[in-house]
Each structure stands twice: as C-alpha cells, then as structure tokens.
C-alpha cells in the first residue's frame, strides 16, 4: 500500500481550561461521596460500622466508570480517501464522530490570522468537530465541507479542526489537490 492510501494520527487533549476543571471537580465529587457515605453510616446507622468497608469498593467502581471521561484523545485517520474522526475516552472506549470523503472538502487550510481564517469565519459552519489538543497547539488546520443530516437529508455547513502533520497534508493533497493548502508544519 502506498503512503498516500492511509494515515492515522492521535493527539491527547491538554489538561487545561475546562478539562483541568473537570478533573478537579471529579476528584472533589469522589471525596464528597466518600465523606457523605461515611457520615450517613456514622450518624444514621451507628450499629452498622462494617458498612464502612463498602465505601472504598463503591468508590472504586464509581471512579472506574467515570474517570475515563476526564482523559480524552482525538484520533483522525484517512483510509482510501475517507476521513474518520473519533474520540477515545480513557484509552478504552472509542466513539466515532465523523466519517467523510476528503474529496468532498471545499477547503483544507491552516488556521492562521490571515486570509484562510477569514474564509473559515465567513463560511459560518453550523457543525464543528475539533481534534486539537489545545488552542495553543502548533499547525492547526481546518477542513470545510457540507455534512448531510441523517434525519432530514438537508446539508449543513461543517468545519473540522485538526493538528496537521506533513503526512496528513500529503494525504489530503493526494485525495483533494484543488482544496488543500500546504504550509510547512513542525511534525
């Protein structure tokens, strides 16, 4: 298989802003849960002190099923001209967010402060997909396209933000030369 037929890239969401707040909030909720259960057992069920042994077990179960949502990775891949974008929670559960053909993109360009970002703003997308780790990440690109609504069949303007690599841009250019703008990227 040629290097242009397939590409895959994974980026981890930076622990800043709302993601940092989410992690701190989850830890606070875990502590609050343990304290609340301990108080309820101590005050309302003083003869049931052995129930304290259930606190760590139930807390572990709660952490196991909820902590994954504080650790997010974005994966985008291009296989035979089809872009697939997925979110991966806690390295365990994957949810596909978008599937589209690269040739359907009307523009693939860098999101800088120049002409291209103005075109992205003027496009006024109705649906946004983001595969960037942080707004401070280097080499942020966007892809403009139309997405068909599964329920109504109407087309909506959509944008996909991603951290570009040289191989990703080569692959995009291979499948959609007219719409792809290539600049020098750090990866």
């Amino acid at each position: 298989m040629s290097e242009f037929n397939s590409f895959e890239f994974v980026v981890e969401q930076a622990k800043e802003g709302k993601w940092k707040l989410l992690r701190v909030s989850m830890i606070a909720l875990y502590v609050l849960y343990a304290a609340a259960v301990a108080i309820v057992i101590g005050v309302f069920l003083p003869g049931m002190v052995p129930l304290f042994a259930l606190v760590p077990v139930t807390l572990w179960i709660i952490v196991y099923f909820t902590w994954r949502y504080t650790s997010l990775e974005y994966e985008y891949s291009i296989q035979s001209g089809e872009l697939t974008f997925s979110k991966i929670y806690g390295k365990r559960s994957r949810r596909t967010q978008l599937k589209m053909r690269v040739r359907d993109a009307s523009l693939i360009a860098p999101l800088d402060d120049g002409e291209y970002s103005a075109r992205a703003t003027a496009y006024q997308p109705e649906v946004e997909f983001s595969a960037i780790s942080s707004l401070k990440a280097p080499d942020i690109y966007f892809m403009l396209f139309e997405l068909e609504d599964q329920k109504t069949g109407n087309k909506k303007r959509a944008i996909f933000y991603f951290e570009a690599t040289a191989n990703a841009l080569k692959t995009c250019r291979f499948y959609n030369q007219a719409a792809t703008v290539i600049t020098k990227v750090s990866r």
Side-chain angles (χ1 to χ4, degrees), residues 32-33 35 40 51 57 71-72 83 97 111 134 143 147 166 175 179:
L32 184 64
Y33 166 78
V40 167
L51 286 179
V57 173
S71 179
L72 180 61
L83 173 97
Q97 304 291 307
L111 185 68
S134 168
M143 186 180 293
L147 185 66
Y175 289 109

Side-chain angles (χ1 to χ4, degrees), residues 86-171:
S86 302
K87 290 182 178 180
I88 304 168
Y89 294 95
K91 299 186 189 298
R92 289 188 285 186
S93 57
R94 171 187 310 270
R95 294 199 181 135
T96 300
Q97 304 291 307
L98 170 68
K99 281 190 177 207
M100 65 164 287
R101 291 186 311 254
V102 175
R103 72 172 180 219
D104 292 340
S106 59
L107 180 62
I108 303 169
L111 185 68
D112 56 6
D113 293 330
E115 163 194 357
Y116 298 115
S117 66
R119 287 176 66 181
T121 304
Y123 189 68
Q124 297 180 338
E126 300 167 273
V127 181
E128 291 187 8
F129 300 96
S130 178
I132 58 173
S133 61
S134 168
L135 293 175
K136 301 171 193 168
D139 309 320
I140 298 176
Y141 265 63
F142 66 90
M143 186 180 293
L144 302 178
F145 59 98
E146 288 188 341
L147 185 66
E148 188 172 330
D149 189 346
Q150 300 294 348
K151 294 178 184 173
T152 63
N154 296 335
K155 294 201 178 228
K156 293 183 177 183
R157 291 180 309 278
I159 190 166
F160 173 59
Y161 299 100
F162 62 101
E163 291 184 28
T165 66
N167 286 339
L169 294 176
K170 285 179 193 176
T171 307

Side-chain angles (χ1 to χ4, degrees), residues 9-133:
F9 187 68
V10 177
V11 62
E12 186 175 346
Q13 173 65 50
K15 309 296 188 265
E16 60 186 29
K18 73 177 187 178
W19 293 99
K20 187 174 186 177
L21 180 63
L22 177 63
R23 290 172 82 88
V24 170
S25 299
M26 293 298 281
I27 291 170
L29 286 173
Y30 300 149
V31 170
L32 184 64
Y33 166 78
V37 171
I39 289 171
V40 167
I41 292 172
V43 173
F44 297 110
L45 303 169
M48 303 296 286
V49 174
L51 286 179
F52 279 116
L54 293 178
V55 174
V57 173
T58 58
L59 183 60
W60 178 84
I61 291 169
I62 291 169
V63 169
Y64 179 80
F65 286 108
T66 60
W67 186 253
R68 78 177 82 183
Y69 297 106
T70 66
S71 179
L72 180 61
E73 292 178 331
Y74 304 110
E75 176 189 72
Y76 70 94
S77 62
I78 301 172
Q79 301 285 333
S80 300
E82 183 174 83
L83 173 97
T84 304
F85 166 57
S86 302
K87 290 182 178 180
I88 304 168
Y89 294 95
K91 299 186 189 298
R92 289 188 285 186
S93 57
R94 171 187 310 270
R95 294 199 181 135
T96 300
Q97 304 291 307
L98 170 68
K99 281 190 177 207
M100 65 164 287
R101 291 186 311 254
V102 175
R103 72 172 180 219
D104 292 340
S106 59
L107 180 62
I108 303 169
L111 185 68
D112 56 6
D113 293 330
E115 163 194 357
Y116 298 115
S117 66
R119 287 176 66 181
T121 304
Y123 189 68
Q124 297 180 338
E126 300 167 273
V127 181
E128 291 187 8
F129 300 96
S130 178
I132 58 173
S133 61

